[in-house]
Amino acid sequence: MTDDRPSPDALLRAARRAGRGRLKIFLGAAPGVGKTFEMLREGAERLAAGVDVVLAIVETHGRAETEALVTPFEVVPRRLIDYQGHQLAEMDLDAVLARRPALALVDEFAHTNVTGSRHPKRWQDVAELRDAGIDVYTTLNIQHVESLNDVVASFTRVRVRETVPDGVFDDAEIEVVDLPPDELIERLRAGKVYVPAEATRALDRFFSKANLSALREMALRRAAESVDRAMLDDLDAAAIPGTFAGGERVLVAVSELAGADALVRVGKRLADALKAPWQAVFIETPRAAAFKDDQRRAVAQTLSLAASLGATIATVPAASVTEGLLTHIDGMRATQLVIGRSVRTAWFRLRHGSVVDRVLVASRNLAVHVIPAGPTPPPARVSDWTSGWSGPGDYAIAALLIAATVGLGKLSEPLIGAGGIDLLFLLPVIIVASRFGFRPGIAASLLAGLAYNFFFLVPLYTFTIADPQSVLTQFVLIGIAAFSATLTDRLRARARIGTRSAEENAAIAAFGQALARVSDWERTSATVCEEMHRLLGVPIVLLNWQEGEAQVAAQCPADAPILTPVDRAAADWAWSRGEAAGAGTGTLVAADWQFQPLKTALGVLAVVAIGRQPSGDPIGADRAMLLTTLLGQAALSHERLRLEDEVREVSVLKERDRLRAALLSSIGHDLRTPLTAVAASIDSLARQAPASPDIATARAEVDRLRRFLDNLLDMVRIDTGALNVELEPVDLTDAVAAAAADLRDVLAGHPIDLHVPPDLPLVTVDPVLLHHILINLLANAAVHGAADGRIAIIGHRTIDGVTLALRDQGPGLPPGPPDAIFETFVRGAGSDRRGGSGLGLAISKGFADAMGVRIDARNGPEGGAEFVLRFDAVAASPV
């Protein structure tokens, strides 16, 4: 029976949307497709229609056609925020809230706000505007969606750092601003997206035709998913039946028959081909209660396989497979059904019909994929026919009830007459069927018919029936009694399934509440074991890994069996592979336990060992959904604890870094004054004994100590984000000469090979920071290079911009990754000879990153270390 009531969840989501402003996202595949232009155009149409529209913030990027559309709007002035000595303009959130327009246009949804803003991200500003009831139009590129970040980086080789969570799409209207790749490339070449020099580099990298085509497909699919989800919410809220195949949804119906695993694999391939969500469902009918152990195990393994392949799984209780499957199809609004069909005899189809045929007849707008589900099931054995007949006591009770009914009939016959006594015999049949099941109920109906014939039909006390009408009455009574027994048994089975579902839901809710009340690893582990043991009735052990070995974190009961070496091997498999292993799975089945990993986005956090049931079997299919849900909640609780630990660790690290920065800053400033006094004393002594070699040594060491203190202060500035970057065109020839002049004492005895062409383009950098970088690199070459070794400084012009390489003749980089040399307090070979703080290269790396300059370390072609500064095409300025 179809439930035509609106979905409560959909109604709640609709109610939440009604209290907020609407969000419309203009989604594009890449910059330059016209998102801002389209947003402004639609905003102008709303403004012309009388809607109160303001321009909260927009970035025109100097495009004339976009700037022309800004003119009609009221523009909210931007807020200026001081940051590292600069004033940066951001959207004035408070001003927009105070203005309270009907519609606000907010460009660049994924933008990161400057430090000092109320929210770190612009999408959070938009959320506050919507909470105030203001509608918002905004723009977004598909590569900024959090869940697609890794996918985009895998083929563009560019990782976008400004992202928005996928949840922003939940109640947003999506409009795809589409432009074919060829047209976008033409816009780039025409300089309508970037300046020509930058556009050439972009075409060679991010804006290749293959990348744009992939991004375009992702944008269209993401929009289709959002539209499909919004449509389903509207349909559920209005209780409108039907498939409404705006997007594909795959359902796989599994059973206990052989070949069900093949159905799951077909469903997986179909879902992957359609890029659609999919689900595996098992319809649990009263017949499932009579499943044998191998049938239950087959269902459990099939559902487990589906879950491992990425499907959601469900077990749906229903009176019949057809009824349950059709109801679930309607609720899920599936568009594709994968179902198996086993070979059955004509006699079986005549008696039971075909689920596939019924689904084909009853379903509409549903593509049904019928897959052969294996060979014909073997005929029932004699033991199958004789099983399930209940015990002799049940039939004895049925006979006693019939006897009591005979006595009651004899007593009431003078009052109600012989014609009404037959109805009394329905009462014991219903009681027996509801209490003991179908077969005792049928037996009771036959016995009731015989008793009625023997004691109340003429001639009495014989089974002979004299009146033809009484023959009809006899058979009608037996038929009605049998029907009553059948109906009562079905109602009993439905009640049993419904009761168990309610109990499982209550148990899951209680399990979640128990986990929510604990906030440490020890109590969480104990709670997981105790609650799962109580709900599943099997021994539970929770395993963690420390130093590569499994350790028991908790167990219930306390005297649970000890894990054998085979069990531990299965546990290691579950931990390392993130897959179930042990009893009842397809891996290391000789183990006595079943091991389920608690797998989250952070990886496998623990492994739950599940003991066998008293019958010796693993968790059956009737408990598979319960087990999956319990494992999911246990994994979430462990993930919460791990994240809380990481937050605490980050807080400790931040405090430690703050104290370290304060200490280093204090040391640097406190030592500068006595160092100045020492330098003055050395100068005074130099005037008295100018030829003394000790004076030169002392002066060199004071200069080295001064550079060390400068490095300490620079490191503090980098760590605290206090760098003041002022970019301007710089001639590399002059920059190298100035750095070498300042280090003439340190570089004494090191010949300098200068190969920096005078016609190199100017580079846009901070001259002070570049000077520090060159001084540190030259000092590093002098300290770690060969004694009296040459130092080469080589400049090149490349396709991407300009490179500047500094090469020494020392032993080269230490073993390990080249980038490790840029870590703080890392010193290379040769540091023991001349000394080194381990800060110079780290500071150079920090300064280079602040200016957008890339610095690499490698071993030179003729030995020695080589450090290369790369000023790309964006930073390079023509002469």
Side-chain angles (χ1 to χ4, degrees), residues 173 330 385:
E173 178 185 351
D330 291 339
W385 287 101

Side-chain angles (χ1 to χ4, degrees), residues 254-255 260-261 264-265 278 280-282 296-315 578-587 594-597 610 618-621 623-625 627-628 631:
V254 303
S255 69
D261 55 343
V264 169
R265 294 186 179 93
W278 67 296
V281 62
F282 171 67
R296 295 179 185 276
R297 191 177 299 111
V299 174
Q301 291 175 350
T302 302
L303 292 176
S304 177
L305 173 64
S308 68
L309 293 178
T312 57
I313 61 175
T315 300
E579 302 173 359
T585 69
T587 304
Q594 183 181 107
F595 297 90
Q596 293 284 350
I610 303 168
I619 299 297
R623 313 292 276 177
M625 278 302 300
L627 174 61
T628 301
L631 292 173

Side-chain angles (χ1 to χ4, degrees), residues 727-749:
L727 301 178
E728 60 183 69
V730 173
D731 189 330
L732 286 180
T733 305
D734 295 340
V736 171
D742 286 351
L743 286 178
R744 54 184 174 274
D745 292 338
V746 175
L747 297 176

Side-chain angles (χ1 to χ4, degrees), residues 596-621:
Q596 293 284 350
L598 297 185
K599 192 174 182 180
T600 70
L602 303 178
V604 178
L605 303 182
V607 171
V608 175
I610 303 168
R612 295 179 181 270
Q613 295 176 327
S615 61
D617 295 321
I619 299 297

Side-chain angles (χ1 to χ4, degrees), residues 41 52 79 105 147 166 178 203 205 247 256 289 306 314-315 336 368 371 390 438 446 451 658 660 710:
R41 188 190 64 77
D52 183 15
R79 177 190 175 200
L105 307 183
S147 64
D166 290 55
D178 189 32
L203 284 169
R205 297 185 178 181
E256 79 285 1
T315 300
Q336 307 276 339
V368 181
I371 310 298
S390 299
F438 173 70
L446 295 174
R658 187 188 68 80
R660 186 188 68 170
D710 289 341

Side-chain angles (χ1 to χ4, degrees), residues 764-827:
T764 305
V765 294
D766 185 308
V768 176
L769 298 185
L770 179 61
H771 185 71
H772 277 285
I773 292 174
L774 294 175
I775 282 180
N776 282 324
L777 294 180
L778 287 170
N780 180 80
V783 170
H784 301 292
D788 301 329
R790 307 185 74 84
I791 298 176
I793 306 174
I794 306 167
H796 281 295
R797 183 169 188 172
T798 66
I799 297 177
D800 292 336
V802 175
T803 65
L804 184 68
L806 284 86
R807 185 183 305 158
D808 62 43
Q809 293 181 334
L813 300 179
D819 290 343
I821 198 70
F822 294 113
E823 296 179 4
T824 308
F825 300 117
V826 172
R827 296 193 295 176

Side-chain angles (χ1 to χ4, degrees), residues 240-313:
I240 300 175
T243 301
F244 290 85
E248 300 291 349
R249 294 172 288 278
V250 179
L251 179 65
V252 181
V254 303
S255 69
E256 79 285 1
L257 299 178
D261 55 343
L263 300 182
V264 169
R265 294 186 179 93
V266 169
K268 167 65 174 174
R269 292 195 295 270
L270 180 62
D272 287 347
L274 298 174
K275 298 188 183 299
W278 67 296
Q279 184 180 84
V281 62
F282 171 67
I283 307 300
E284 184 181 12
T285 64
R287 173 175 161 270
F291 278 179
K292 297 180 178 57
D293 295 338
D294 56 344
Q295 292 174 311
R296 295 179 185 276
R297 191 177 299 111
V299 174
Q301 291 175 350
T302 302
L303 292 176
S304 177
L305 173 64
S308 68
L309 293 178
T312 57
I313 61 175

